[in-house]
Amino acid sequence: MTNTPFDTTQPAQVKGLDGYTVDPIFTVGETIGTYAPVGILDGTGAFELNDTTVRVLVNHELANNVGYNYTLESGASLPGARISYFDIDKRTLQIVDSGLAYDTIYNRAGEVVDAASDLEFGGLNRFCSANLMEANHFGNNKGFADRIYFAGEETDGGTQFALDTATNQLWALPWLGRAAWESATELDTGNTDQIALLIGDDRQEAPLLLYVGEKNAAGDGSFLDRNGLAEGKLYVWVADDTADASDAIEADPRDFNGSGNSTNGKFVAIDYYRPDLAGTADYDALGFATQEKQDALAAAAGAFKFSRPEDVATNPFDGTQAVLASTGRPEVFDGQDTWGTTYKIDVDFGATEIKANLNILYDGNDDGNKDFGLRSPDNLDWADDGKIYLQEDRAISSSLFGATSGEEASIWVLDPSATDPAATATRIAQIDRSGVPSDQTDSSPTDIGNWESSGILDVSTLFGNDPGSMLILDVQAHSLRDGNIINVPGVDTDGDGTVEANDNLVQGGQLLFLMSPNASLIQESNLVTSTSNILTAGVDFDGVNDIVFTGAGNDEVDVPLGGSLAGNNRIFTGSGADIIYVADGDRSFGGSGNDEIDATEATNYRLSGGTGNDIFYLGADGRALGGDGDDKFFVQDGGENWLSGGAGADQFWILTGDLPSAANTVLDFEIGTDVLGIGGQGTGFDFTDLTLSGDSIAIGTTTIAILNGINTTSLTAANFAFS
């Protein structure tokens, strides 16, 4: 744990458009605690770590032989691609911890990786986009048995990997076949015995793949077996309408293109697992087809070839639908899909066959689109608000991308439920090339599309907000390769005698939030005023980062009822006998009057009673100032509080039950005026049971209090009260 909240100090590398705003939280080159995340941030996934923290997982698309080495639990030291975690406080949107997301890797043979040679490429190779699947996502026992984060090697013949977020173990998945993995997304098979993953194979002229796995096929209870990842079938999509024998079978985008058009087809199984041919020219040592052989099997099945299939994501409201971005390639299919195409796939898992309809949501090659529309679509998310968010990644020459429009790589949103989805496409954010960190320089500042955004994901509900109001994404700033990109950690990984970017962080980039227009975020600071004498978080205000004024009168403010995110408020109750219940991080000012401030369950608070005889009930790691008046402080078992009574005859109840986890400090105890209270220790406990030494008071070996500037050996029983 870093313990100290972290937020980037560098400028944003994306700018919001059309009312959207951005909030960067990490910039490559910075160190979070002791961890320095490498560059080329890519796919993301997120889940709730605890009531106040969201864990965001981020791929790093490094080649297998670059980046500083990291060490696994086995002792293996590896360069190359990796997955980092960023733990983000839901209330402050600051990073509270970061590190490597796994400590163990199992290779394709199911063996623990204890040397780089245990992996096919000598390191993980270019983890690209990602998807995180929650357990039982489609209902009781429907879908995966565990929460799984999928990350694949985006290289010819690459392997898909599954991260078990409960054990931090990363498993190779040979049963999913070979691909240059962009991403895989879960589909609803409609039964509890099978899982399905739609696969984006990021190569030109590649097919659309579908894996259907049998859960508990071996019955051994292992992670792979119970999740259907240890046995299954691999399919390719063929544009063959089984309901129409006369229907032409489209081969590629020359036969099927244009926004709004659709075609029917089916998934056809290919014979990619042949243990009888293991170790031969076309099959690896486990019996799985090589990439070349798998491609040949797909071609023999008549698979439709996409220009270059990229990211896939499932419809959050219909698990049989997904969106696919094919980024476009001018070199193939006579340039028919130069600018990229976005498809919706609707799958029907039947008893005897798997049918699927493809609908073109947006064809970037349509007249009027091209360089002025959505270009080179790559990463995407079908978000919880029903919209699809897409990111551009220049996949064509700079003589085309931005050459006419002058537009930098952008982020778009479209509505797939609209009558004409393509007409709803709207640019909402764009790369900002002025966002160069202070220690780095941009070697190609006029090269439009050199930087790209990636990993977009709707995390709104995880942070307590409305769907679609808060997305997380990252930036790959490919032309930032100096300064801290070299100097952190500043090692010569490849041993060639020169410390270079590829030895260390490789390239620049950033992790940031994108907020929708007029989003009402729970994290925002709101001014709360009321003529009511009672204010309750979760009812009258959200209780997160708010400023509360109650004015004169006997008021009651209850923050903890706002839930686990409540806290970090500023509370001013003015004159009157007020009662304030505070939460973590609250700052509370009682004003004049005899106030009661209760921080029993809170930490990291700052309390001020003001004028009057005030009573404080304290939790842990806080500060409390009594001010003028005869104040009472009741410390509970949390400890680590600093107490100041101020003017008046004050009572410091430094023990009220269980011994504190850490000593509390009294800053201004006045002998003869103030009293030290000890309670909850049973009948007969008295002054003789205390150990007084230096400025401390102890019971047995536990120091319960420190009195600033006081030699406690001068204290007598008259300075204490026992109950």
Side-chain angles (χ1 to χ4, degrees), residues 382-429:
W382 198 326
D384 292 336
D385 64 349
K387 305 297 195 300
I388 296 173
Y389 295 84
L390 305 104
Q391 296 168 293
E392 295 178 339
D393 172 11
R394 186 183 72 190
I396 54 180
S397 167
S398 59
S399 64
L400 294 174
F401 192 99
T404 305
S405 68
E407 298 283 1
E408 259 293 356
S410 302
I411 302 171
W412 293 72
V413 62
L414 64 79
D415 184 356
S417 67
T419 303
D420 182 3
T424 69
T426 304
R427 182 182 276 115
I428 59 173

Side-chain angles (χ1 to χ4, degrees), residues 6 8 130 319 374 379 434 554 631 633 641 657 663 677 685 717:
F6 178 89
T8 186
L374 170 60
N379 292 99
S434 69
N554 301 332
D631 306 309
F633 301 82
N641 292 286
F685 187 93

Side-chain angles (χ1 to χ4, degrees), residues 250-443:
E250 294 90 346
D252 57 55
R254 288 172 294 191
D255 303 326
F256 174 50
N257 56 72
S259 299
N261 289 324
S262 64
T263 189
N264 293 319
K266 63 182 180 181
F267 281 100
V268 176
I270 58 174
D271 195 16
Y272 74 120
Y273 179 56
R274 292 289 304 274
D276 57 314
L277 297 177
T280 62
D282 292 331
Y283 293 86
D284 66 18
L286 299 176
F288 293 99
T290 64
Q291 183 74 79
E292 184 179 3
K293 180 61 177 179
Q294 184 178 301
D295 289 344
L297 292 171
F304 183 90
K305 293 182 178 180
F306 294 81
S307 60
R308 184 179 164 189
E310 294 268 7
D311 209 359
V312 287
T314 304
N315 181 347
F317 307 110
D318 184 344
T320 64
Q321 294 182 350
V323 58
L324 161 71
S326 189
T327 201
R329 299 295 280 181
E331 300 89 356
V332 298
F333 310 138
D334 303 321
Q336 178 59 53
D337 191 13
T338 294
W339 297 92
T341 304
T342 303
Y343 304 87
K344 181 179 75 173
I345 303 102
D346 198 337
V347 183
D348 179 9
F349 290 92
T352 57
E353 64 180 356
I354 305 173
K355 295 183 287 187
N357 170 271
L358 255 66
N359 173 259
I360 298 177
L361 297 174
Y362 187 98
D363 190 334
N365 306 280
D366 289 347
D367 290 340
N369 290 340
K370 300 183 180 179
D371 197 32
F372 293 91
L374 170 60
R375 311 156 297 175
S376 301
D378 190 339
N379 292 99
L380 52 79
D381 184 38
W382 198 326
D384 292 336
D385 64 349
K387 305 297 195 300
I388 296 173
Y389 295 84
L390 305 104
Q391 296 168 293
E392 295 178 339
D393 172 11
R394 186 183 72 190
I396 54 180
S397 167
S398 59
S399 64
L400 294 174
F401 192 99
T404 305
S405 68
E407 298 283 1
E408 259 293 356
S410 302
I411 302 171
W412 293 72
V413 62
L414 64 79
D415 184 356
S417 67
T419 303
D420 182 3
T424 69
T426 304
R427 182 182 276 115
I428 59 173
Q430 195 166 56
I431 288 293
D432 186 349
R433 297 296 288 272
S434 69
V436 179
S438 56
D439 63 297
Q440 300 165 29
T441 55
D442 187 348
S443 61

